[in-house]
Short mmCIF file of all heavy atoms in Angstrom, two decimals:
data_model
loop_
_atom_site.label_atom_id
_atom_site.label_comp_id
_atom_site.label_asym_id
_atom_site.label_seq_id
_atom_site.Cartn_x
_atom_site.Cartn_y
_atom_site.Cartn_z
N LEU A 13 8.11 11.67 -16.25
CA LEU A 13 7.92 10.66 -15.16
C LEU A 13 6.92 11.26 -14.01
O LEU A 13 7.08 12.42 -13.69
CB LEU A 13 9.24 10.31 -14.58
CG LEU A 13 9.30 9.20 -13.64
CD1 LEU A 13 8.72 7.82 -14.21
CD2 LEU A 13 10.64 9.01 -13.10
N GLU A 14 6.00 10.39 -13.65
CA GLU A 14 5.20 10.80 -12.52
C GLU A 14 5.38 9.80 -11.37
O GLU A 14 5.78 8.63 -11.59
CB GLU A 14 3.75 10.76 -12.91
CG GLU A 14 3.30 11.75 -13.93
CD GLU A 14 1.94 11.75 -14.32
OE1 GLU A 14 1.11 11.28 -13.50
OE2 GLU A 14 1.61 11.99 -15.44
N ALA A 15 5.10 10.24 -10.14
CA ALA A 15 5.14 9.33 -8.93
C ALA A 15 3.87 9.32 -8.40
O ALA A 15 3.05 10.28 -8.37
CB ALA A 15 6.25 9.73 -8.03
N ALA A 16 3.44 8.14 -7.79
CA ALA A 16 2.22 8.09 -7.01
C ALA A 16 2.35 7.12 -5.77
O ALA A 16 3.18 6.18 -5.81
CB ALA A 16 1.12 7.56 -7.93
N VAL A 17 1.73 7.53 -4.75
CA VAL A 17 1.72 6.64 -3.53
C VAL A 17 0.38 5.76 -3.56
O VAL A 17 -0.61 6.29 -3.76
CB VAL A 17 1.76 7.41 -2.24
CG1 VAL A 17 1.62 6.59 -0.98
CG2 VAL A 17 2.99 8.27 -2.16
N VAL A 18 0.66 4.52 -3.56
CA VAL A 18 -0.58 3.61 -3.61
C VAL A 18 -0.49 2.55 -2.53
O VAL A 18 0.47 2.37 -1.83
CB VAL A 18 -0.59 2.91 -4.99
CG1 VAL A 18 -0.69 3.83 -6.10
CG2 VAL A 18 0.65 1.99 -5.17
N ASN A 19 -1.72 1.97 -2.31
CA ASN A 19 -1.84 0.89 -1.17
C ASN A 19 -1.81 -0.45 -1.70
O ASN A 19 -1.87 -1.43 -0.96
CB ASN A 19 -3.09 1.17 -0.41
CG ASN A 19 -3.00 2.43 0.51
OD1 ASN A 19 -1.99 2.70 0.99
ND2 ASN A 19 -4.05 3.18 0.46
N GLN A 20 -1.93 -0.63 -3.02
CA GLN A 20 -2.10 -1.98 -3.69
C GLN A 20 -0.69 -2.71 -3.56
O GLN A 20 0.37 -1.96 -3.57
CB GLN A 20 -2.34 -1.96 -5.16
CG GLN A 20 -3.71 -1.42 -5.38
CD GLN A 20 -3.75 0.01 -5.74
OE1 GLN A 20 -2.85 0.74 -5.28
NE2 GLN A 20 -4.85 0.47 -6.28
N LEU A 21 -0.68 -3.94 -3.33
CA LEU A 21 0.50 -4.75 -3.22
C LEU A 21 0.82 -5.59 -4.45
O LEU A 21 1.96 -5.76 -4.82
CB LEU A 21 0.41 -5.67 -1.98
CG LEU A 21 0.32 -4.82 -0.66
CD1 LEU A 21 0.08 -5.89 0.46
CD2 LEU A 21 1.47 -4.04 -0.39
N LEU A 22 -0.27 -6.15 -5.04
CA LEU A 22 -0.03 -6.99 -6.16
C LEU A 22 0.18 -6.18 -7.56
O LEU A 22 -0.54 -5.18 -7.79
CB LEU A 22 -1.22 -7.90 -6.44
CG LEU A 22 -1.50 -8.92 -5.30
CD1 LEU A 22 -2.75 -9.65 -5.62
CD2 LEU A 22 -0.27 -9.90 -5.07
N LEU A 23 1.01 -6.64 -8.43
CA LEU A 23 1.30 -6.01 -9.63
C LEU A 23 0.03 -5.94 -10.45
O LEU A 23 -0.23 -5.01 -11.14
CB LEU A 23 2.39 -6.70 -10.49
CG LEU A 23 3.56 -6.05 -10.58
CD1 LEU A 23 4.74 -6.90 -10.95
CD2 LEU A 23 3.52 -4.93 -11.61
N ALA A 24 -0.83 -7.09 -10.31
CA ALA A 24 -2.07 -7.00 -11.13
C ALA A 24 -2.96 -5.80 -10.69
O ALA A 24 -3.70 -5.23 -11.52
CB ALA A 24 -2.77 -8.32 -10.90
N ASP A 25 -2.95 -5.37 -9.50
CA ASP A 25 -3.67 -4.25 -9.06
C ASP A 25 -2.96 -2.92 -9.34
O ASP A 25 -3.59 -1.98 -9.67
CB ASP A 25 -3.85 -4.35 -7.51
CG ASP A 25 -4.68 -5.56 -7.14
OD1 ASP A 25 -5.59 -6.06 -7.93
OD2 ASP A 25 -4.46 -6.19 -6.02
N LEU A 26 -1.68 -2.91 -9.11
CA LEU A 26 -0.89 -1.67 -9.51
C LEU A 26 -1.04 -1.34 -10.96
O LEU A 26 -0.89 -0.10 -11.18
CB LEU A 26 0.57 -1.88 -9.05
CG LEU A 26 0.85 -1.93 -7.45
CD1 LEU A 26 2.22 -2.51 -7.33
CD2 LEU A 26 0.68 -0.59 -6.99
N SER A 27 -1.05 -2.25 -11.81
CA SER A 27 -1.00 -2.02 -13.23
C SER A 27 -2.24 -1.78 -13.89
O SER A 27 -2.23 -1.45 -15.11
CB SER A 27 -0.21 -3.17 -13.90
OG SER A 27 -1.03 -4.38 -13.73
N GLN A 28 -3.32 -1.65 -13.21
CA GLN A 28 -4.60 -1.39 -13.80
C GLN A 28 -4.55 -0.06 -14.44
O GLN A 28 -4.08 1.00 -14.00
CB GLN A 28 -5.83 -1.36 -12.84
CG GLN A 28 -5.97 -2.78 -12.29
CD GLN A 28 -6.34 -3.77 -13.29
OE1 GLN A 28 -7.39 -3.71 -13.99
NE2 GLN A 28 -5.50 -4.82 -13.40
N GLY A 29 -4.98 -0.04 -15.74
CA GLY A 29 -5.00 1.29 -16.58
C GLY A 29 -3.70 1.46 -17.45
O GLY A 29 -3.68 2.37 -18.13
N PHE A 30 -2.82 0.56 -17.21
CA PHE A 30 -1.62 0.83 -17.96
C PHE A 30 -1.61 -0.17 -19.20
O PHE A 30 -2.26 -1.17 -19.13
CB PHE A 30 -0.35 0.46 -17.14
CG PHE A 30 -0.02 1.54 -16.04
CD1 PHE A 30 -0.59 1.58 -14.84
CD2 PHE A 30 0.83 2.67 -16.39
CE1 PHE A 30 -0.29 2.53 -13.84
CE2 PHE A 30 1.05 3.65 -15.48
CZ PHE A 30 0.43 3.60 -14.27
N GLU A 31 -0.78 0.20 -20.14
CA GLU A 31 -0.73 -0.73 -21.36
C GLU A 31 0.21 -1.78 -21.27
O GLU A 31 0.10 -2.86 -21.90
CB GLU A 31 -0.47 0.29 -22.62
CG GLU A 31 -1.56 1.18 -22.91
CD GLU A 31 -1.24 2.04 -24.10
OE1 GLU A 31 -0.59 1.55 -24.98
OE2 GLU A 31 -1.78 3.24 -24.12
N VAL A 32 1.38 -1.55 -20.54
CA VAL A 32 2.41 -2.61 -20.42
C VAL A 32 3.20 -2.47 -19.11
O VAL A 32 3.16 -1.34 -18.55
CB VAL A 32 3.45 -2.42 -21.64
CG1 VAL A 32 4.20 -1.10 -21.64
CG2 VAL A 32 4.36 -3.57 -21.68
N VAL A 33 3.57 -3.50 -18.65
CA VAL A 33 4.45 -3.51 -17.35
C VAL A 33 5.81 -4.19 -17.81
O VAL A 33 5.84 -5.13 -18.33
CB VAL A 33 3.80 -4.38 -16.33
CG1 VAL A 33 4.73 -4.64 -15.15
CG2 VAL A 33 2.60 -3.80 -15.88
N ILE A 34 6.87 -3.44 -17.42
CA ILE A 34 8.32 -4.01 -17.69
C ILE A 34 8.66 -4.40 -16.36
O ILE A 34 8.70 -3.69 -15.30
CB ILE A 34 9.15 -2.84 -18.35
CG1 ILE A 34 8.52 -2.30 -19.60
CG2 ILE A 34 10.58 -3.34 -18.50
CD1 ILE A 34 9.12 -1.07 -20.08
N MET A 35 9.31 -5.64 -16.36
CA MET A 35 9.86 -6.19 -15.15
C MET A 35 11.04 -7.04 -15.47
O MET A 35 11.32 -7.53 -16.74
CB MET A 35 8.78 -6.94 -14.39
CG MET A 35 8.43 -8.29 -15.11
SD MET A 35 7.13 -9.24 -14.33
CE MET A 35 5.67 -8.27 -14.68
N GLY A 36 11.89 -7.46 -14.44
CA GLY A 36 12.94 -8.36 -14.60
C GLY A 36 12.35 -9.81 -14.49
O GLY A 36 11.31 -10.05 -13.95
N ALA A 37 13.23 -10.79 -14.86
CA ALA A 37 12.76 -12.16 -14.79
C ALA A 37 12.61 -12.60 -13.38
O ALA A 37 11.84 -13.47 -13.13
CB ALA A 37 13.96 -13.07 -15.46
N ASP A 38 13.27 -11.98 -12.45
CA ASP A 38 13.16 -12.32 -11.01
C ASP A 38 11.68 -12.06 -10.59
O ASP A 38 11.02 -12.73 -9.89
CB ASP A 38 14.16 -11.74 -10.14
CG ASP A 38 14.30 -10.23 -10.29
OD1 ASP A 38 13.83 -9.66 -11.32
OD2 ASP A 38 14.89 -9.54 -9.39
N LYS A 39 11.18 -10.82 -11.05
CA LYS A 39 9.79 -10.45 -10.69
C LYS A 39 8.80 -11.33 -11.43
O LYS A 39 7.78 -11.77 -10.87
CB LYS A 39 9.55 -9.07 -10.99
CG LYS A 39 8.21 -8.54 -10.69
CD LYS A 39 7.79 -8.69 -9.25
CE LYS A 39 8.45 -7.76 -8.37
NZ LYS A 39 8.06 -7.91 -6.92
N TRP A 40 9.13 -11.72 -12.62
CA TRP A 40 8.29 -12.71 -13.46
C TRP A 40 8.09 -13.88 -12.65
O TRP A 40 7.02 -14.43 -12.51
CB TRP A 40 8.98 -12.89 -14.78
CG TRP A 40 8.38 -14.15 -15.54
CD1 TRP A 40 8.88 -15.37 -15.63
CD2 TRP A 40 7.21 -14.05 -16.37
NE1 TRP A 40 8.03 -16.14 -16.39
CE2 TRP A 40 6.96 -15.33 -16.82
CE3 TRP A 40 6.20 -13.17 -16.63
CZ2 TRP A 40 5.85 -15.73 -17.50
CZ3 TRP A 40 5.20 -13.44 -17.39
CH2 TRP A 40 4.97 -14.76 -17.94
N HIS A 41 9.18 -14.46 -12.12
CA HIS A 41 8.94 -15.73 -11.38
C HIS A 41 8.24 -15.51 -10.06
O HIS A 41 7.55 -16.35 -9.61
CB HIS A 41 10.49 -16.38 -11.16
CG HIS A 41 10.93 -16.95 -12.45
ND1 HIS A 41 10.61 -18.18 -12.84
CD2 HIS A 41 11.76 -16.42 -13.43
CE1 HIS A 41 11.26 -18.51 -14.05
NE2 HIS A 41 11.86 -17.45 -14.36
N GLN A 42 8.43 -14.36 -9.40
CA GLN A 42 7.86 -14.11 -8.14
C GLN A 42 6.32 -14.01 -8.37
O GLN A 42 5.57 -14.58 -7.58
CB GLN A 42 8.37 -12.86 -7.59
CG GLN A 42 7.88 -12.53 -6.15
CD GLN A 42 8.42 -11.17 -5.76
OE1 GLN A 42 8.33 -10.16 -6.29
NE2 GLN A 42 8.94 -11.25 -4.50
N ILE A 43 5.92 -13.25 -9.42
CA ILE A 43 4.31 -13.16 -9.60
C ILE A 43 3.70 -14.39 -9.95
O ILE A 43 2.47 -14.54 -9.84
CB ILE A 43 4.07 -12.09 -10.71
CG1 ILE A 43 4.39 -12.46 -12.02
CG2 ILE A 43 4.52 -10.71 -10.28
CD1 ILE A 43 4.06 -11.54 -13.22
#
């Protein structure tokens, strides 16, 4: 596991370069 501090707020920005994003249904509805 790695940790990073980022300034992006949107999942679409945070997830750039990743293959998959795992989230709960509450986040699904929020996005």
